Amino acid sequence: MSAGVNRQRMQALVAAERDSYIARNPESARLAAEAGKNLLFGVPMHWMNDWSTPFPLTVREASGARFRDADGHEYVDFCLGDTGAMFGHAPQPVAQAIARQAKRGYTAMLPSEDAGPVAAELARRFGLPCWQFALSASDANRFVLRWLRAATGRSKVLVFNGCYHGTVDDVFVDLVDGVPTQRDSLLGQVHALTDHTVVVEFNDLPALEAALQQGDIACLLAEPVMTNVGMVLPQPDYWEAAQQLIKRHGALLVIDETHTISSGPGGYVRAHGMMPDALVIGKPIGGGIPCAAYGFTEELARRVEQAKRSAPPGHSGIGTTLSANMFAMAAMRANLEQVMTEPAYHHMFALAAQLAQGLRDVIARHGLPWCVTQIGARTEFQFTDQPPRNGSEAHAVMDFELEQAIHLYLLNRGLLITPFHNMLLVCPSTTAQDVARLLSAFDDFLADTIQKQIC
């Protein structure tokens, strides 16, 4: 439980906010009831029920940093599709590119004219020369793990406790009281993941070295900054030392930049001088169109090619029919060349810094022991006075009840932040006025719920 919050007052506030939400959104309520007749759990994907609302909010249109719901309310969006729309909803260059491509075909199982330029631009940005494509970062991570196991002849994957890499089976292993344990929320899993997945805490170099010394780790799959259990930053010089350990023990490093592309046009790796063997990026790279990419160093690409050529004929288990379709490639090219630009990042960084400092000021004014972390355009507040150092610490300070209360309060005031934790993104269309509006509403929430005297 988070210190300083009056639970009784907060629960009363939430009840009033739920009533307000219901009264404000009759059309969303009607649409949710109709959808419930045919949609499992009443939503297109079951996790859409995990928002703080009594029933799902139906979106009618979205553009830039805003969206409008079925009842006509406009919202400033600081969630931005949990990174999928990091550069704004329906960026004009992407919209124009896919409109053109829509007249020229969607998919053909053959390269389009956009494929080469997209790969060249990815190579320029990330410093990895050889690229392939997928429909999601989940797929891309799965494909990379398969390639690297084949290339190294090693079966095990190393991950960090509390990590997130989409729906890749291998990563659903946590440390429970220090023991690697298959996550009990994982549905339908019939194979023991701990046979081939090793898990250690982020920022723990001795644990990393001990795992690597076994000599059976194909690769470490990691975000350079943990983002889905709350933000967890690397300790100073952690990645420099970790990369040396990985190389010394013959393993490979795969960096998942799907969220940390908020760090700059070349992601966290270029901003901080990292040199991974492989890199994955998903969601935002096509401006919200389903697509992903993964790249290899020249040396690893040759090992991967050799593994494929040495294998018997038949399906490799890598790739899907719609991977690298013409529609997605057109979106990626437009987004990379015209949307994910240096000026766009400069705008986002400045606003995110304003947001982060504003959150710190509001939190300090109310005397709360909370912290704020920023990675480029990505900002998060957490219910602890010191930033967590690993997944266990980050998970321990989560407060689901308080998160839900904050999210619903903001939503009823036309402000959306990411569910499941307290992450906020700014995009090229976000304004200083949008940030000020969010900070004002956040201040009001704390004023309504703060514990005036601790009982």
Side-chain angles (χ1 to χ4, degrees):
M1 290 290 184
S2 301
V5 173
N6 185 315
R7 294 283 156 175
Q8 188 174 10
R9 186 179 301 155
M10 183 182 75
Q11 289 161 3
L13 178 65
V14 168
E17 292 297 326
R18 289 175 68 85
D19 288 343
S20 175
Y21 178 88
I22 293 168
R24 281 168 48 87
N25 296 292
E27 183 62 10
S28 279
R30 186 189 69 79
L31 291 169
E34 283 295 313
K37 297 175 182 177
N38 300 105
L39 288 175
L40 189 63
F41 301 104
V43 285
M45 283 297 295
H46 68 86
W47 45 255
M48 291 182 180
N49 266 333
D50 293 341
W51 291 81
S52 57
T53 55
F55 49 81
L57 189 72
T58 297
V59 175
R60 180 157 287 163
E61 57 186 356
S63 178
R66 286 165 166 73
F67 71 91
R68 190 175 296 276
D69 69 19
D71 288 279
H73 306 124
E74 185 175 87
Y75 300 80
V76 181
D77 191 356
F78 289 93
C79 171
L80 295 170
D82 191 17
T83 307
M86 180 186 288
F87 303 99
H89 295 288
Q92 188 174 18
V94 176
Q96 292 171 342
I98 62 178
R100 287 194 301 270
Q101 190 61 46
K103 300 176 182 178
R104 302 170 59 188
Y106 300 164
T107 187
M109 292 185 69
L110 291 166
S112 70
E113 292 177 325
D114 293 318
V118 168
E121 176 61 11
L122 291 170
R124 184 190 71 81
R125 286 179 181 244
F126 295 105
L128 296 170
C130 301
W131 290 83
Q132 291 279 271
F133 298 93
L135 286 176
S136 69
S138 292
D139 275 351
N141 281 318
R142 267 190 289 271
F143 299 162
V144 168
L145 293 185
R146 193 174 286 274
W147 280 125
L148 268 55
R149 281 169 163 152
T152 63
R154 295 179 173 187
S155 67
K156 291 189 178 180
V157 173
L158 182 61
V159 296
F160 291 129
N161 185 39
C163 70
Y164 180 77
H165 300 286
T167 58
V168 179
D169 287 357
D170 305 76
V171 307
F172 288 96
V173 178
D174 297 321
L175 286 176
V176 178
D177 297 325
V179 178
T181 306
Q182 190 163 302
R183 195 171 299 175
D184 56 13
S185 62
L186 185 61
L187 295 173
Q189 179 62 41
V190 296
H191 303 294
L193 297 180
T194 51
D195 288 349
H196 296 287
T197 298
V198 179
V199 58
V200 298
E201 293 284 11
F202 191 44
N203 283 318
D204 188 339
L205 285 170
L208 177 65
E209 183 167 25
L212 292 167
Q213 283 176 338
Q214 302 305 308
D216 54 1
I217 301 294
C219 65
L220 168 64
L221 172 60
E223 291 183 292
V225 173
M226 295 187 74
T227 64
N228 217 65
V229 69
M231 203 102 79
V232 183
L233 300 176
Q235 296 293 298
D237 302 322
Y238 172 77
W239 273 119
E240 182 179 358
Q243 288 178 103
Q244 292 174 3
L245 287 173
I246 292 164
K247 186 173 183 179
R248 183 184 311 156
H249 292 286
L252 299 166
L253 175 60
V254 182
I255 290 295
D256 185 344
E257 286 269 18
T258 298
H259 288 163
T260 53
I261 190 64
S262 63
S263 304
Y268 190 95
V269 296
R270 296 310 289 269
H272 295 270
M274 293 183 67
M275 293 181 288
D277 300 285
L279 182 143
V280 170
I281 181 169
K283 287 187 273 194
I285 196 169
I289 296 295
C291 58
Y294 57 97
F296 297 141
T297 62
E298 185 74 33
E299 191 273 337
L300 179 54
R302 300 292 81 82
R303 293 172 69 182
V304 160
E305 288 176 344
Q306 181 59 34
K308 171 59 179 166
R309 293 190 175 114
S310 300
H315 201 297
S316 64
I318 296 167
T320 59
T321 304
L322 292 177
S323 297
N325 66 78
M326 296 187 291
F327 203 69
M329 301 305 292
M332 275 189 279
R333 183 174 184 178
N335 203 50
L336 286 165
E337 293 179 351
Q338 301 177 62
V339 180
M340 293 174 61
T341 63
E342 291 278 1
Y345 273 99
H346 290 158
H347 172 85
M348 292 157 70
F349 289 172
L351 272 187
Q354 179 182 326
L355 172 59
Q357 188 56 51
L359 288 169
R360 293 186 187 103
D361 292 344
V362 171
I363 289 166
R365 184 159 58 251
H366 290 280
L368 291 168
W370 299 356
C371 68
V372 177
T373 305
Q374 179 195 351
I375 294 294
R378 188 182 186 96
T379 304
E380 182 147 1
F381 60 92
Q382 290 163 288
F383 306 133
T384 176
D385 59 347
Q386 295 296 322
R389 295 168 299 176
N390 56 49
S392 290
E393 290 185 7
H395 187 267
V397 301
M398 285 184 159
D399 187 329
F400 178 75
E401 184 183 38
L402 179 55
E403 286 176 4
Q404 293 266 295
I406 294 171
H407 299 174
L408 181 58
Y409 187 95
L410 294 175
L411 189 67
N412 278 341
R413 285 149 187 81
L415 299 155
L416 186 75
I417 70 173
T418 307
F420 322 132
H421 46 119
N422 299 312
M423 191 276 291
L424 304 99
L425 283 166
V426 296
C427 73
S429 299
T430 309
T431 67
Q433 292 74 25
D434 296 334
V435 169
R437 181 177 161 191
L438 176 74
L439 293 172
S440 177
F442 183 61
D443 194 7
D444 290 344
F445 173 85
L446 295 181
D448 286 341
T449 58
I450 205 71
Q451 182 84 25
K452 297 305 181 185
Q453 67 178 40
I454 305 299
C455 301

